[in-house]
Amino acid sequence: ERRIRMEWMPLVWLGLFLVALIVEAVSEALLSIWFAAGALVCLGISFIPGCPLWVQIIVFLAVSTIAFLILRPFFSRILKRKIIRTNSDSLTGSRIVILKDGDSLEPAEASFRGLSWTAIPLKDGMKLTRGMIATIVAIDGNKLIVEPVEKEDE
């Protein structure tokens, strides 16, 4: 008959707790923190004299499940990735002046806030001509994606 020596159980639960924490630390998602909570509680109850292994396992599963169900929504809200606005976002919607002709194949040169930028049209086949006013609709790397302003909009 093989029996688990109960005096080793605190070390087993401590080991499981540490492994769960290490896995959580190296991952970007909430993967094993729930098991760490269950192992920590079981580490405590493993010191109760005469506490059988099956009780410890049930407590581990129950605490891990409850921690998952109750704490996951809370942590998910806190850790939710937020879109970080950058300075380039402030350029979208601004108007620029085209300095050098261009199209989808050959980028134009544009001036914005005293700086020279590479500009490409939003749609293939669209031409950007010198002196034209255009609106910045997006930024792709170091290029402004622009759409010419209609004459009535100027």
Side-chain angles (χ1 to χ4, degrees), residues 61-128:
L61 294 173
V63 169
S64 297
T65 302
I66 290 168
F68 177 77
L69 294 174
I70 292 175
L71 296 177
R72 188 171 198 285
F74 173 73
F75 281 124
S76 293
R77 270 194 308 273
I78 290 174
L79 299 175
K80 186 182 285 185
R81 302 214 190 292
K82 294 184 174 125
I83 296 172
I84 300 171
R85 292 281 199 214
T86 63
N87 289 339
S88 64
D89 291 333
S90 67
L91 303 180
T92 305
S94 300
R95 294 194 175 183
I96 61 167
V97 177
I98 303 299
L99 300 177
K100 179 183 160 208
D101 293 355
D103 56 30
S104 305
L105 301 174
E106 183 66 32
E109 186 178 319
S111 174
F112 180 68
R113 295 182 182 161
L115 298 174
S116 183
W117 289 77
T118 300
I120 55 176
L122 178 64
K123 298 176 187 160
D124 286 339
M126 188 182 286
K127 300 250 187 241
L128 301 174

Side-chain angles (χ1 to χ4, degrees), residues 3 12 14 19 31 35 52 62 84 102 118:
R3 290 185 49 100
V12 171
L14 179 62
V19 167
L31 293 176
F35 301 117
I84 300 171
T118 300

Side-chain angles (χ1 to χ4, degrees), residues 9 26 47 52 59 64 67 70 76 87 106 113 152-154:
M9 287 315 296
V26 298
F47 287 107
V59 168
S64 297
I70 292 175
S76 293
N87 289 339
E106 183 66 32
R113 295 182 182 161
E152 305 159 359
D153 294 344
E154 287 187 48

